[in-house]
Amino acid sequence: MSSNEESMEDSNGHSFGKVKQRFKDRSQKTKEKTKQILSKQAAQIAKRAEEHERFINKVTHLMGVLGFGAFCFILGARPKDIRYVYCLFYVIFVPLRWIYYRYKKWHYYLLDFCYYANTIFLITLMFFPTKEKLFMVCFSFAEGPLAWALIVWRCSLVFSSVDKIVSVFIHLLPGLVFFTIRWWDPEFFGAMHPEGTPERASWPYVESQFYLWTWLFWVPLAAYFLWQVLYYLIVDVLRRQRFLRDPEVMTSYRELSKKAKKANNVWWRVSGLLGDQNRLFMYILLQAIFTIATTGLTVPIFLSYKLHVVFQIFKVSASIWNGGNFMLDVMPRQVILKEEKKKSKMPTVSDQNDQTSLHESTMETNNSSETAQSE
């Protein structure tokens, strides 16, 4: 009896293992099919966009100018609604950017710090809008690393390019949102106070310097270093083989090092101080120094309305100036390069046509000679 029971248990365990394995296989196949479908759709959308590039650029320019005008109107007429505009923008355009970047093999850009920070902004505004400490961390991100990245990396406000508009707004909009909450929405900001304490008698309310530096500097830096560890584990450890197999897959480090090497600029020379094998470490170190410096600047901006206004004007002016430089200096060169590529392809096509016509004439001559001989 005991042997029969044991055999029954073994058979039941074996059958259960088979069912479990089948379920895993089916789920894996479903995941792969879903991934393939999304990739195909992304590729089709991107190809259609490239086919109608000129028309899309014109429509984008029109919609971009009208949209920016509408945004400026809302900022002046109803500044309290800017946070809803930002949430709508993020929910719509970031998924679309993922589709486009997936086709271009740029989707690892969406693991960058700016998207990490913007995701925290979205969660805060939608689910925890009255949490003062979380608001201060978001303020530090928005007016620290994100704002200065807009300037340092020369993000360009070009209305004919959806990609550039999204890049600018990803870095610019959060600062404007938290500016309106900090200075133009006293009821909203005044409602943010620790639980169990009475409402504040004055506004804007400023805590002690220790409190400010804790939640505007030290805690944001801790959140930044958490992102840096996660980014390194995902990109440089877990997905390392993926990048080695396919050099076309882009990350921020790959793109920046590629451009710096081509230009042989100061960033390339500084990142190579410890040798080529340590360039990634130097990149992480330089980015950490940049983040620490820009995060520290958020404290005086948080305390001064005039300084904050000047900083907003400076950010917008920098993005518009960079956009003008791109349209006047970069775009003409791109058009010339495209025309040169088209011209370089034309001779090959004409040569093929010449060879085809020569072959046809030869065949006709042979046929006529054969006919004459037969006659």
Side-chain angles (χ1 to χ4, degrees):
M1 291 293 291
S2 61
S3 61
N4 291 333
E5 289 177 356
E6 288 177 358
S7 62
M8 288 290 290
E9 289 178 358
D10 292 339
S11 61
N12 290 334
H14 185 65
S15 61
F16 177 75
K18 284 185 176 180
V19 172
K20 189 176 180 181
Q21 186 63 36
R22 287 177 184 174
F23 180 76
K24 284 183 179 180
D25 293 339
R26 287 179 182 177
S27 62
Q28 186 66 27
K29 289 180 180 178
T30 304
K31 287 180 181 179
E32 290 177 357
K33 287 182 180 178
T34 305
K35 192 175 181 181
Q36 289 176 358
I37 291 170
L38 291 174
S39 298
K40 287 180 180 179
Q41 289 178 347
Q44 289 175 359
I45 293 171
K47 285 181 180 178
R48 289 175 183 174
E50 288 181 355
E51 290 173 358
H52 306 283
E53 183 180 0
R54 290 177 67 86
F55 176 74
I56 291 173
N57 286 342
K58 293 176 182 178
V59 174
T60 303
H61 183 81
L62 174 64
M63 300 303 295
V65 173
L66 294 177
F68 189 72
F71 171 78
C72 292
F73 174 78
I74 296 172
L75 181 62
R78 299 182 62 86
K80 296 179 182 180
D81 294 335
I82 287 295
R83 53 182 175 269
Y84 304 120
V85 174
Y86 163 74
C87 292
L88 184 65
F89 162 81
Y90 188 83
V91 170
I92 293 174
F93 284 97
V94 171
L96 291 176
R97 170 168 272 202
W98 181 86
I99 294 173
Y100 179 66
Y101 276 20
R102 183 72 179 80
Y103 167 71
K104 291 285 189 179
K105 296 184 179 180
W106 298 346
H107 50 289
Y108 285 97
Y109 282 131
L110 272 69
L111 295 176
D112 286 353
F113 179 75
C114 55
Y115 296 97
Y116 169 80
N118 273 274
T119 303
I120 295 175
F121 301 157
L122 186 69
I123 294 171
T124 300
L125 293 171
M126 292 182 67
F127 302 107
F128 307 103
T130 59
K131 298 294 183 181
E132 182 189 56
K133 294 175 180 178
L134 193 54
F135 167 81
M136 295 177 75
V137 172
C138 292
F139 184 95
S140 180
F141 284 162
E143 297 296 52
L146 261 68
W148 286 100
L150 178 76
I151 299 162
V152 172
W153 305 125
R154 300 179 66 184
C155 293
S156 307
L157 186 58
V158 180
F159 292 114
S160 59
S161 172
V162 175
D163 190 50
K164 290 191 175 298
I165 292 173
V166 173
S167 294
V168 169
F169 275 38
I170 283 287
H171 296 85
L172 181 65
L173 267 182
L176 290 170
V177 169
F178 295 114
F179 171 84
T180 58
I181 294 174
R182 174 71 175 102
W183 302 108
W184 291 355
D185 196 351
E187 294 179 0
F188 190 93
F189 188 78
M192 290 187 290
H193 56 85
E195 295 180 2
T197 59
E199 293 187 2
R200 288 155 180 170
S202 62
W203 188 92
Y205 187 85
V206 178
E207 296 278 1
S208 64
Q209 291 292 322
F210 176 78
Y211 182 86
L212 286 176
W213 280 95
T214 299
W215 293 101
L216 287 175
F217 184 73
W218 295 111
V219 174
L221 283 184
Y224 164 78
F225 284 112
L226 173 63
W227 164 81
Q228 184 64 80
V229 171
L230 293 174
Y231 184 87
Y232 179 80
L233 290 175
I234 295 171
V235 174
D236 299 305
V237 178
L238 297 177
R239 305 297 292 171
R240 180 179 176 81
Q241 295 301 322
R242 171 80 170 94
F243 294 118
L244 292 175
R245 287 196 307 268
D246 192 349
E248 292 184 358
V249 178
M250 278 294 156
T251 63
S252 295
Y253 170 70
R254 274 191 172 185
E255 180 68 16
L256 290 172
S257 60
K258 182 180 177 182
K259 290 182 177 179
K261 183 179 181 180
K262 186 177 180 180
N264 195 24
N265 56 23
V266 64
W267 296 110
W268 180 253
R269 292 192 291 271
V270 171
S271 64
L273 290 176
L274 299 180
D276 289 339
Q277 70 277 9
N278 294 315
R279 286 189 184 275
L280 178 60
F281 171 75
M282 286 297 296
Y283 173 76
I284 295 172
L285 180 62
L286 290 172
Q287 190 176 17
I289 294 171
F290 169 81
T291 303
I292 293 169
T294 55
T295 303
L297 294 174
T298 59
V299 176
I301 291 174
F302 186 83
L303 296 174
S304 173
Y305 174 72
K306 292 181 179 179
L307 183 60
H308 205 174
V309 170
V310 171
F311 190 53
Q312 299 304 313
I313 296 172
F314 178 60
K315 289 190 297 181
V316 175
S317 301
S319 61
I320 295 173
W321 178 268
N322 292 334
N325 287 335
F326 182 84
M327 293 181 67
L328 296 174
D329 297 334
V330 180
M331 286 184 71
R333 291 200 298 268
Q334 291 180 346
V335 172
I336 292 171
L337 288 173
K338 285 183 180 180
E339 292 297 327
E340 289 178 351
K341 285 183 180 179
K342 288 181 181 179
K343 289 180 180 179
S344 64
K345 291 179 181 179
M346 288 298 291
T348 58
V349 176
S350 61
D351 290 342
Q352 289 176 357
N353 293 332
D354 293 340
Q355 290 176 2
T356 305
S357 60
L358 181 61
H359 179 70
E360 290 176 353
S361 62
T362 305
M363 290 293 292
E364 290 177 358
T365 305
N366 293 333
N367 291 334
S368 60
S369 61
E370 288 175 1
T371 304
Q373 288 176 1
S374 63
E375 289 177 352

